Amino acid sequence: MPVNAEKEITKLWKAKQGAQGEICNTYYRWRDFALGLAGENADPMNVALDAAEAFGRYIGKGMLPRLNLLKGDEAFIGMVAKQLAATWANEGAVVTVEPGEKPTEAVIRCKRDTWPTAAKTFDVPMEEVARTREKLFESMLVDPSVFFNKPLAIEMQKAIPRGEGEWVFKLYMKEQ
Amino acid sequence: MAKQLFEWDYASYPGAKTYPHLFSPIEIGNLIVPNRIKYAATEDNLNQHDGFVTDADVEYMRRRAEGVVGGLCFMQGVYMDPARKGQGYVGQAAAWDDKYIPGLKKIADAIHSEKAVAGFQLMDCGRVGAVEVPVGHGPSAVPQRLRIFKPMAEMTNAEVKEMIQQHVDAAKRGAEAGFDVMEISGIVGYLISNFISKYTNRRTDEYGGDIRGRMQAVVEIIQGVKEAVGPDIPVGIRLCSEELLDDVGGNTPEESMESYKISEEAGVDYISCTLGWQESIFPVISRDIPQGNWLYLAKRAKEHVKVPVQMAYRIFLPQFPEEAISKGELDMWEICRSMIADPLMPKKVAEGREEEIRHCVACNLCLARLFRDAPMTCYISPVCAHEHDPAFFPTPVEDEDDKKEVMIVGAGPAGLECAYVAAQRGHDVHVYDKREEIGGTLNEASHAPYGDEELMTCVDFQKTMCEKYGVELHLGTEVTEELIEEEAPDTVILATGPVYKKVPGADENAKNIVNVLDVLSGKGSVGDKVVVWGNRKPGIGVALKLAKEGKKVTIVGEEKSAGFDINPSFKWRYMIYLRQNGVTAYNDCTIDEVGDGGIVVKTFDGHRFPVECDTIIVTEREANESLKSAVQSEGAELYVVGDALVPRNLSSAVHDGYRIGLRI
């Protein structure tokens, strides 16, 4: 059975990378279009943050069937962190999840991200990239927080587009 | 002094001797119900989309009322708010205005015409409602986990009080329409259960807090309804004994039992014991759950309350409730899906005709249809929800000249279904099969795990009906062109089952290629690493069987998702079982090459990769064209039914056979 494994994997690899690149490019094409519709007086940062909020809420709802409280709060925070990391990894980022200082904390660390590179192509300010990611994650937590009655929060501690070498987010459960 | 509405004497009913407890009377409040049987309120989507009752629903209910032989017969739950937030089904009946009373009265009258006790259910669907409006209502605005349901808005305190009054007003309308029993639906994620559960009730006013606070709205409804309908009409409630919502912080079993006690204190005359929500991640009523599995919950409920306890939930056979009632662990047998499949099911029990029961196979197609805004349909019963339409019932062939010699080729579910219906109408029906036993490929398919043996109840029923109507069976007889020519029938029905596809790129005589039927029957030899070709139900069934035996199983199939032919209300179970048993499924793929020790899988977009295996099991099927030309050349009337026409499932076989049986 002559399957050329190298050839097949290369084809899949290229297809995956192409699709990941298109996610960022498509988003920024839509951003340009949205800014055009919003008019000259619109603040691009506000438009981007509104979009991130809408996307985040939608993605957050999609996380609900994949989360549960059966193994307690510590496992729950880990599940949420992995969900956030997985959506980012699908876009081409290299993301890891680490335990936080407390049982109800987790650290999401990203050392390679496709978004800043794509943003440069479309002349998008790097601060917008940083705050959009932060807003996206915050919004993704809204529905899981209410649904599970567990107030989740996230803090951006480092950001690649701010020249800090890596992204670091602290995910945690607020005191009730 | 309790009163009985209709006189029933079961002394002449054989089933009453076999099941004496089922056919003994019971007091529900101030009402004596002659037996322990209840058709539980079930949505059917048969009513108008504005909530008015249709003739179809009246006849649907009349048939079920006949079935309970004097017992309780509940119409579907009604929604009660003009804003329609409580409406959970497009064809759900309404009771938010007096204008609905005449339609509701038709149902009460239909139930009474069969001397059954008419039940009226109040059902605001809450979290799973708002089917026709953009936003639903509930105690708190907890987001939906399933996208099929609408977003939620939190009810204000005034809206809660209004909702309570709507229950009271609707109950008055039900009483005016002539119903004898009132029931409050507090189950599976509907509004009342939303108030009771700490998962969905985060309120800080008098309708939230601890279990007593979360029960406050329920208590006010019970008391209001009782006052409105008076002492002669019992008021019951359906309540979760376990929510099965631990994954989202739902009530504990102790809290659920507390809700039972609080309801009893508030004055309910009976409690119907249920479990699980539509959102629960655990199966409750599908075929993979053994029958009688949940009766311990009724027993537990009996330990907490004194009022009668009723229960449904995988209790399809009368011996289960009979035994539970005899032990004091249950008071009434609720029946739902079993009477969707066979509305006369308990009547047949009473009459000693149990072998004539068309048993529910717990596939949940009925639920899947309702959730997708379609009228009720039963997988196994072609008549279900067509009770109002004479065209769906066999009519005798009046003219002797119109009676035909019918040859049916194949004694599987399609052929047998067609056979007894045609024979019932007066045709002379002969069924041929090269096998020595009836049932066709269902004999093998029923060996798949997770409850598929229950599918054979369909064949058992058909066998009884064929015997009843004089169908002649010719087993062990292969039909050939010569036999058709010799018998010269007027009509030939080809119910020969499917043919199996050849594996692409494989040697037809290769020893490592085995048919699914041989594997399921234990005749085929299978190695340790198996590829199942075909990702529909037959492929999934055999894959699970082999995986449970310890084989490494990979499914390769052309459908975009595995099990697309299984209805969504059951498919999710199979997906979990595939995962639990370590079965890998490559969907949207085909077999590109077969070689020593493995195959090459090709994805829909041309990527190729090897999969190791020592056995390939063929489950892919196609239509069976054999004998068609022979029949046509003889000039006989020809019909093709079941998998021989298009390979599908048991339901299609039965429905095909029934329709053609009516048409000949």
Side-chain angles (χ1 to χ4, degrees):
Chain A
M1 292 187 300
V3 173
N4 184 333
E6 184 181 349
K7 184 181 157 197
E8 296 295 337
I9 291 169
T10 304
K11 273 162 62 184
L12 287 166
W13 179 255
K14 284 181 178 171
K16 181 187 169 196
Q17 284 200 313
Q20 287 174 335
E22 269 308 295
I23 293 171
C24 303
N25 292 339
T26 303
Y27 170 78
Y28 285 123
R29 286 182 207 122
W30 267 103
R31 175 186 175 279
D32 282 349
F33 184 71
L35 288 177
L37 284 179
E40 289 177 0
N41 295 329
D43 178 355
M45 179 67 88
N46 288 342
V47 173
L49 294 180
D50 282 357
E53 186 174 359
F55 292 173
R57 290 295 296 272
Y58 195 83
I59 299 167
K61 283 185 206 301
M63 289 161 50
L64 297 180
R66 289 186 278 278
L67 300 172
N68 69 65
L69 299 171
L70 291 175
K71 291 183 180 169
D73 287 350
E74 190 174 344
F76 177 70
I77 204 86
M79 282 183 218
V80 176
K82 283 177 186 166
Q83 287 292 316
L84 298 183
T87 58
W88 207 354
N90 282 342
E91 296 156 1
V94 176
V95 198
T96 55
V97 173
E98 301 158 13
E101 290 174 4
K102 295 178 186 172
T104 53
E105 283 181 15
V107 174
I108 300 166
R109 193 182 301 277
C110 168
K111 291 186 176 297
R112 175 189 179 278
D113 187 14
T114 50
W115 285 91
T117 312
K120 274 184 196 167
T121 313
F122 287 85
D123 292 329
V124 177
M126 284 299 113
E127 184 57 17
E128 185 183 312
V129 178
R131 289 187 56 193
T132 302
R133 170 61 55 185
E134 183 182 36
K135 188 71 175 177
L136 185 79
F137 277 173
E138 285 171 354
S139 305
M140 285 168 71
L141 299 178
V142 171
D143 280 271
S145 295
V146 180
F147 184 81
F148 291 101
N149 208 11
K150 300 285 180 188
L152 299 165
I154 195 159
E155 280 175 17
M156 186 167 69
Q157 297 178 328
K158 285 187 183 178
I160 288 176
R162 287 180 179 163
E164 293 168 317
E166 62 178 356
W167 294 88
V168 178
F169 285 91
K170 183 176 90 170
L171 174 71
Y172 60 101
M173 206 176 281
K174 288 190 278 194
E175 297 291 329
Q176 277 184 298
Chain B
M1 179 74 177
K3 66 172 182 178
Q4 185 166 333
L5 298 175
F6 301 102
E7 286 302 317
W8 281 84
D9 179 4
Y10 300 113
S12 62
Y13 286 79
K17 293 182 181 65
T18 314
Y19 306 107
H21 294 89
L22 275 182
F23 293 96
S24 63
I26 183 170
E27 279 189 30
I28 303 280
N30 288 325
L31 194 66
I32 297 170
V33 180
N35 64 36
R36 307 299 185 95
I37 292 162
K38 171 186 176 185
Y39 175 63
T42 309
E43 294 307 315
D44 54 29
N45 267 347
L46 292 179
N47 294 308
Q48 287 183 202
H49 287 203
D50 53 7
F52 284 98
V53 167
T54 62
D55 290 345
D57 195 40
V58 172
E59 291 312 310
Y60 178 93
M61 289 309 305
R62 189 194 307 278
R63 197 80 169 142
R64 270 78 197 165
E66 182 187 349
V68 297
V69 277
L72 284 173
C73 184
F74 271 77
M75 73 166 285
Q76 62 182 258
V78 295
Y79 69 94
M80 298 154 284
D81 62 320
R84 304 176 75 170
K85 290 180 180 176
Q87 183 186 3
Y89 303 89
V90 291
Q92 187 178 354
W96 54 264
D97 191 275
D98 288 352
K99 67 185 179 184
Y100 294 107
I101 294 174
L104 298 169
K105 186 173 184 308
K106 283 186 188 174
I107 292 183
D109 290 347
I111 295 171
H112 289 153
S113 73
E114 299 295 338
K115 292 170 60 182
V117 181
F120 188 71
Q121 193 189 67
L122 311 168
M123 187 173 85
D124 185 309
C125 293
R127 193 167 169 73
V128 293
V131 70
E132 299 275 32
V133 293
V135 178
H137 64 184
S140 304
V142 176
Q144 300 283 8
R145 177 155 59 176
L146 304 176
R147 287 185 194 272
I148 193 172
F149 298 123
K150 300 285 175 64
M152 299 295 295
E154 181 170 321
M155 298 165 84
T156 63
N157 188 277
E159 285 170 338
V160 176
K161 292 184 189 320
E162 188 184 359
M163 175 274 293
I164 293 166
Q165 189 59 44
Q166 285 166 349
H167 277 74
V168 174
D169 294 342
K172 282 183 198 164
R173 293 185 187 106
E176 194 177 332
F179 286 90
D180 313 306
V181 183
M182 293 292 142
E183 185 171 88
I184 299 154
S185 176
I187 63 169
V188 303
Y190 297 142
L191 187 67
I192 297 301
S193 58
N194 303 160
F195 271 90
I196 298 170
S197 179
K198 64 179 177 234
Y199 155 51
T200 42
N201 187 342
R202 320 264 174 86
R203 298 182 75 89
T204 53
D205 63 6
E206 71 268 34
Y207 297 113
D210 64 9
I211 185 64
R212 286 219 166 252
R214 301 199 300 273
M215 281 294 289
Q216 182 57 34
V218 186
V219 168
E220 290 181 27
I221 289 171
I222 293 168
Q223 291 172 342
V225 169
K226 278 192 77 79
E227 191 181 336
V229 300
D232 290 340
I233 297 183
V235 177
I237 190 166
R238 300 195 84 188
L239 285 176
C240 279
S241 58
E242 286 195 12
E243 294 180 337
L244 304 180
L245 291 173
D246 290 348
D247 60 317
V248 291
N251 283 353
T252 61
E254 290 74 24
E255 286 173 309
S256 293
M257 285 303 100
E258 194 61 23
S259 74
Y260 277 45
K261 288 194 270 190
I262 295 169
S263 297
E264 185 177 44
E265 285 168 20
V268 291
D269 297 302
Y270 70 87
I271 294 176
S272 160
C273 179
T274 72
L275 78 155
W277 280 30
Q278 292 178 5
E279 295 175 54
S280 303
I281 57 173
F282 303 102
V284 171
I285 57 170
S286 42
R287 194 164 58 239
D288 48 331
I289 301 297
Q291 293 200 31
N293 192 61
W294 305 114
L295 273 166
Y296 74 94
L297 293 169
K299 181 184 176 192
R300 188 172 71 192
K302 291 277 292 173
E303 289 162 3
H304 286 82
V305 294
K306 293 186 178 61
V307 293
V309 170
Q310 312 170 346
M311 192 174 193
Y313 288 73
R314 285 296 273 156
I315 309 175
F316 288 4
L317 301 173
Q319 48 267 42
F320 289 109
E322 172 67 22
E323 187 184 346
I325 294 169
S326 73
K327 289 180 181 168
E329 296 170 359
L330 178 74
D331 295 297
M332 284 195 86
W333 179 24
E334 285 184 327
I335 311 173
C336 184
R337 290 174 300 162
S338 296
M339 285 183 69
I340 292 173
D342 190 339
L344 302 185
M345 189 264 218
K347 184 180 183 185
K348 290 175 182 174
V349 171
E351 293 175 347
R353 297 189 291 133
E354 283 180 58
E355 68 280 8
E356 289 184 28
I357 293 171
R358 195 195 278 276
H359 283 286
C360 170
V361 294
C363 70
N364 293 344
L365 175 67
C366 45
L367 304 179
R369 294 268 300 178
L370 296 178
F371 295 152
R372 282 152 190 81
D373 302 341
M376 169 73 82
T377 290
C378 178
Y379 186 89
I380 208 74
S381 168
V383 182
C384 177
H386 297 285
E387 290 81 0
H388 62 291
D389 186 351
F392 270 79
F393 292 87
T395 48
V397 179
E398 302 288 351
D399 194 333
E400 281 298 317
D401 291 343
D402 290 336
K403 291 184 178 175
K404 295 174 180 172
E405 292 281 330
V406 180
M407 170 187 268
I408 296 180
V409 188
L416 294 177
E417 187 74 18
C418 186
Y420 83 78
V421 175
Q424 186 179 356
R425 294 179 55 223
H427 296 302
D428 183 14
V429 182
H430 296 254
V431 178
Y432 294 79
D433 202 303
K434 62 185 174 188
R435 293 176 181 236
E436 295 289 350
E437 75 281 337
I438 61 169
T441 57
L442 199 60
N443 284 297
E444 289 84 8
S446 61
H447 289 138
Y450 301 110
D452 279 4
E453 68 276 5
E454 282 189 41
L455 299 176
M456 280 305 279
T457 58
C458 170
V459 174
D460 296 339
F461 160 79
Q462 291 170 330
K463 177 173 181 277
T464 301
M465 301 308 280
C466 283
E467 286 168 0
K468 181 173 180 175
Y469 293 112
V471 172
E472 202 164 320
L473 295 175
H474 306 264
L475 299 177
T477 307
E478 183 159 10
V479 174
T480 58
E481 290 184 38
E482 293 73 30
L483 185 64
I484 296 170
E485 191 178 347
E486 191 180 314
E487 295 294 328
D490 301 312
T491 303
V492 176
I493 315 291
L494 296 179
T496 46
V499 290
Y500 288 83
K501 289 186 182 177
K502 291 172 184 160
V503 179
D507 176 359
E508 210 174 308
N509 300 314
K511 286 182 181 171
N512 65 339
I513 297 179
V514 190
N515 185 278
V516 59
L517 301 179
D518 291 333
V519 177
L520 287 169
S521 64
K523 292 177 199 157
S525 172
V526 176
D528 291 329
K529 292 178 182 172
V530 180
V531 162
V532 173
W533 184 46
N535 57 353
R536 295 187 181 209
K537 173 62 176 63
I540 290 172
V542 73
L544 288 171
K545 176 181 161 64
L546 294 174
K548 284 169 77 72
E549 291 169 4
K551 315 283 187 193
K552 171 81 182 76
V553 185
T554 305
I555 296 175
V556 179
E558 292 175 352
E559 300 299 344
K560 202 169 172 63
S561 66
F564 100 105
D565 55 334
I566 306 170
N567 82 71
S569 292
F570 205 112
K571 180 181 163 178
W572 69 283
R573 299 298 310 141
Y574 280 121
M575 296 305 105
I576 289 171
Y577 288 135
L578 288 176
R579 202 161 55 237
Q580 285 175 349
N581 287 287
V583 177
T584 305
Y586 294 120
N587 305 315
D588 225 349
C589 290
T590 190
I591 295 175
D592 200 38
E593 272 182 58
V594 177
D596 288 338
I599 61 165
V600 174
V601 175
K602 187 176 177 184
T603 65
F604 74 97
D605 54 351
H607 295 287
R608 285 155 42 91
F609 55 92
V611 172
E612 280 185 17
C613 70
D614 44 34
T615 312
I616 301 170
I617 298 171
V618 179
T619 73
E620 286 283 7
R621 304 162 296 168
E622 57 192 0
N624 192 340
E625 300 287 330
S626 62
L627 293 176
K628 256 185 173 177
S629 56
V631 177
Q632 284 162 339
S633 66
E634 284 300 313
E637 181 183 29
L638 169 67
Y639 296 100
V640 186
V641 294
D643 285 353
L645 181 67
V646 180
R648 288 156 291 165
N649 53 26
L650 172 61
S651 178
S652 302
V654 171
H655 285 242
D656 276 9
Y658 188 87
R659 277 194 296 268
I660 297 304
L662 293 181
R663 195 187 296 176
I664 298 167

